[in-house]
Amino acid sequence: MKRIIFHVDQNCYFASVEMISRPELRNVPMAVAGDAKVRHGIILAKNEPAKKYGVSTAEAIWQAKAKCPDLVLVDAHHEKYEFYSKKLREMYSEYTDKVEPFGLDECWLDMTDIVADYAEAEEIALEIRNRVKDEFKLTCSVGISFNKVFAKLGSDYKKPDATTVFTDTDWKEKIWPLKVSDLLYVGRHTTEKLLKINVRTIGDLAATDVDFINRYLGKGGLMLWEYANGLDDAEVAESGYKRIPKSVGNSTTTSEDMTSDRQIERTLHMLSESVAERLRKHSLKGSVVQITVRDRDLGIYEKQRILYKATDDAKDIYEAAKALFVGSYDWNKGVRSIGVRCTKLVRADAGEQLSIFTDAGRTERDSRLNKAIDDINRRYGSGVIKSAAEADSAYNRNKAAKIVSDPFHPEDDFE
C-alpha cells in the first residue's frame, strides 16, 4: 500500500491569529508588519482582503501601502503564534503519533496506518479543517498524497480552507503542468537557472536528463529531479522529534548605519554570544564561522572561515567573525546590518583531537563557565549574566540609542 501523508498549512497564519482577538479586522485589508522604526518595515503576513489588493509577504510597507492605502498594520506577537502552534500540534497528535512541524504554521502527518484509502483521508482532512475553525477560529488547507513533497504541494494548491489530493495514479496529470517554482525547495535563484535551460514546469524538470541536471544544479539537482518524479521517500518524524539544525545564526539591523570598528565589535560580541548560547542549547559546535554584511545601499557580501576546531564558545566565534570583517571591509560605506552564523555543525559530545598547543585545562574551564552561565540565564531569564563586552555594548545602546536598537533575529537553518 502506498503511504498517505497529510500536509496541514494554516492560512495567513500570523494575520489570522491577530484577528482572533480583533475580529473587526477580518473583513478589512490588514497585515502583520515589522517595525519600520528599526528598519524592519516589511510585511510578515496578510489576510485575504489584503491579498486581493496584491499585498505580498516580504515586501516593504511602503510598497504594500501603495497598493492598498487603507491597509491596517498590526504589530507581530510571536508568543501568540507559538502558543497556537503548540495547541494545533497537540490536536494533530490525536490522529497519529507521526506529526512533523515545518515552521510554526505547517505540519506533516503520516496517516498511512490510520486511514484505509484516499476517500477516508479526505473525510479526516475535512474533520481537521472543521476542528481548526471551531476550536481555534483559524482556517487551514490540507494536502494529501503519497509523499511529503506532493502533500505540501497539495496544501499550497488551493487556498484558503481547502483539501487537495494527489493520488499515486493521477499525480502526473495534475502536478507536471504546474510551475517548477511550486516545487518544494525551488526558490527564486533555482527557478532563474532552470528557466535558462527552458525548464518551466515540474514536468519539464522530471523529463530532464538526470545526469545533466545533477551537473547543472550541483548536489541539489538530483534531489529536485527525484521530487519532480515522485521519488520522495522521506519519513514523517514522530511527535516530539527535534531536527538538528544545519546552521545556527543571528543577525541584526541597526537604527543608524555603523561607521566604526568599535560599533562593529560591540555588535559582533552580542551576536556571537547569542549564537554560542544556542549552539550549546542544541548540544552542537560549529566548524565554520560566516559573516553576512549589508551596506547602506543594501549591497550584500558573505565571508567565511574554517576553524581549527569546532566550538560553542562565544570568544572563538567573535574572534573569527571580527577577523573576517576587518580583513574584508574597506569602510567606503556604512554598515546597515550584520549577521554571524556557524555551519558545519558537529555534536558537542563528539571526540576531538587536541593539539600539543591546546590548553586543555583552559578549554575545560571555559566549558564549565559557559554551562554555569547558561544554567543561570535559563533559570533567571536570558541575559541575566553578560560578558563585559556585551554589557558595555548594552550600556552604550541604551545611552546613545544608536548602536543596536533592533532585536536579534535567530536563524537556525534546518534545510
Side-chain angles (χ1 to χ4, degrees):
M1 175 184 173
K2 286 277 188 178
R3 295 187 301 164
I4 296 182
I5 308 297
F6 284 19
H7 185 268
V8 186
D9 186 1
Q10 300 302 310
N11 303 139
C12 309
Y13 182 59
F14 288 6
S16 296
V17 169
E18 296 297 338
M19 290 186 292
I20 293 174
S21 58
R22 298 185 62 183
E24 73 275 9
L25 298 177
R26 291 189 179 278
N27 298 316
V28 300
M30 66 84 68
V32 179
D35 189 350
K37 294 179 181 178
V38 290
R39 300 198 288 181
H40 276 280
I42 63 171
I43 301 299
L44 303 177
K46 72 282 182 190
N47 66 359
E48 288 296 328
K51 190 182 296 185
K52 292 178 180 178
Y53 281 88
V55 175
S56 60
T57 302
E59 72 179 346
I61 289 175
W62 67 267
Q63 292 174 311
K65 281 284 194 179
K67 297 174 182 177
C68 181
D70 296 326
L71 183 68
V72 178
L73 299 178
V74 177
D75 291 337
H77 299 92
H78 291 281
E79 68 283 355
K80 288 184 181 180
Y81 314 144
E82 292 174 358
F83 171 81
Y84 282 101
S85 177
K86 180 181 178 182
K87 292 297 182 183
L88 287 163
R89 290 198 301 272
E90 290 174 354
M91 189 195 80
Y92 303 150
S93 295
E94 296 176 18
Y95 295 89
T96 174
D97 62 350
K98 292 185 176 181
V99 177
E100 180 181 345
F102 190 61
L104 286 176
D105 57 336
E106 304 178 40
C107 279
W108 279 291
L109 285 63
D110 190 334
M111 302 292 285
T112 305
D113 298 328
I114 311 301
V115 299
D117 50 31
Y118 286 113
E120 186 179 355
E122 282 195 79
E123 293 177 4
I124 298 297
L126 177 60
E127 179 181 319
I128 289 174
R129 285 167 44 209
N130 287 335
R131 287 189 63 184
V132 168
K133 279 186 285 189
D134 295 341
E135 297 177 24
F136 300 99
K137 302 297 185 291
L138 300 169
T139 65
C140 64
S141 294
V142 182
I144 303 172
S145 194
F146 56 93
N147 64 44
K148 292 169 69 176
V149 171
F150 287 173
K152 174 162 174 55
L153 195 61
S155 68
D156 291 333
Y157 187 79
K158 192 187 301 181
K159 291 185 176 183
D161 193 20
T163 299
T164 299
V165 181
F166 297 132
T167 73
D168 54 316
T169 58
D170 68 3
W171 67 272
K172 291 182 181 179
E173 60 189 77
K174 291 182 177 180
I175 290 176
W176 277 359
L178 300 178
K179 296 180 298 183
V180 71
S181 57
D182 291 338
L183 194 64
L184 184 63
Y185 302 133
V186 178
R188 180 180 59 82
H189 177 68
T190 301
T191 299
E192 291 173 354
K193 291 196 69 174
L194 289 171
L195 289 176
K196 290 179 180 179
I197 57 172
N198 205 32
V199 172
R200 301 179 180 279
T201 68
I202 296 175
D204 291 339
L205 177 58
T208 304
D209 179 77
V210 62
D211 292 329
F212 170 77
I213 205 69
N214 195 24
R215 292 193 304 270
Y216 184 67
L217 291 181
K219 62 182 180 180
L222 176 60
M223 178 188 72
L224 295 179
W225 182 89
E226 290 176 341
Y227 286 173
N229 280 283
L231 301 177
D232 169 39
D233 60 359
E235 297 289 333
V236 177
E238 292 188 7
S239 302
Y241 171 79
K242 294 183 178 180
R243 288 183 294 170
I244 298 175
K246 291 190 175 181
S247 69
V248 171
N250 235 349
S251 65
T252 190
T253 301
T254 54
S255 58
E256 296 181 9
D257 292 338
M258 290 178 280
T259 56
S260 71
D261 288 335
R262 183 58 176 154
Q263 289 172 309
I264 292 293
E265 289 169 5
R266 291 168 177 165
T267 305
L268 288 178
H269 263 296
M270 290 188 290
L271 292 170
S272 299
E273 291 279 357
S274 176
V275 170
E277 181 180 357
R278 292 207 329 280
L279 281 171
R280 296 192 293 269
K281 179 181 177 181
H282 289 300
S283 298
L284 297 170
K285 293 184 177 183
S287 303
V288 174
V289 173
Q290 296 177 342
I291 63 167
T292 301
V293 180
R294 188 190 300 264
D295 64 35
R296 64 166 177 250
D297 295 331
L298 303 185
I300 299 178
Y301 78 86
E302 293 184 338
K303 298 289 182 180
Q304 68 178 33
R305 167 175 290 188
I306 299 174
L307 301 177
Y308 174 73
K309 65 182 182 69
T311 188
D312 59 8
D313 189 90
K315 295 190 296 295
D316 297 335
I317 298 170
Y318 166 74
E319 291 296 338
K322 177 184 174 184
L324 285 168
F325 182 87
V326 171
S328 59
Y329 202 73
D330 59 9
W331 280 120
N332 60 339
K333 295 178 182 178
V335 173
R336 174 188 174 96
S337 67
I338 191 165
V340 176
R341 180 180 295 276
C342 281
T343 65
K344 300 291 184 183
L345 306 184
V346 298
R347 291 175 57 89
D349 57 4
E352 65 180 59
Q353 172 141 13
L354 296 178
S355 162
I356 59 173
F357 302 106
T358 301
D359 186 342
R362 179 178 177 182
T363 299
E364 178 62 25
R365 287 194 300 273
D366 288 345
S367 178
R368 290 200 303 268
L369 177 60
N370 287 330
K371 183 180 184 304
I373 292 173
D374 290 345
D375 289 343
I376 293 171
N377 284 335
R378 192 179 303 114
R379 182 173 181 180
Y380 296 105
S382 178
V384 170
I385 294 184
K386 297 183 176 70
S387 68
E390 189 178 3
D392 173 62
S393 185
Y395 170 78
N396 281 280
R397 179 175 72 244
N398 293 331
K399 180 179 179 182
K402 63 164 59 176
I403 303 301
V404 182
S405 59
D406 173 44
F408 291 149
H409 301 277
E411 299 164 350
D412 294 356
D413 178 16
F414 291 85
E415 307 308 335

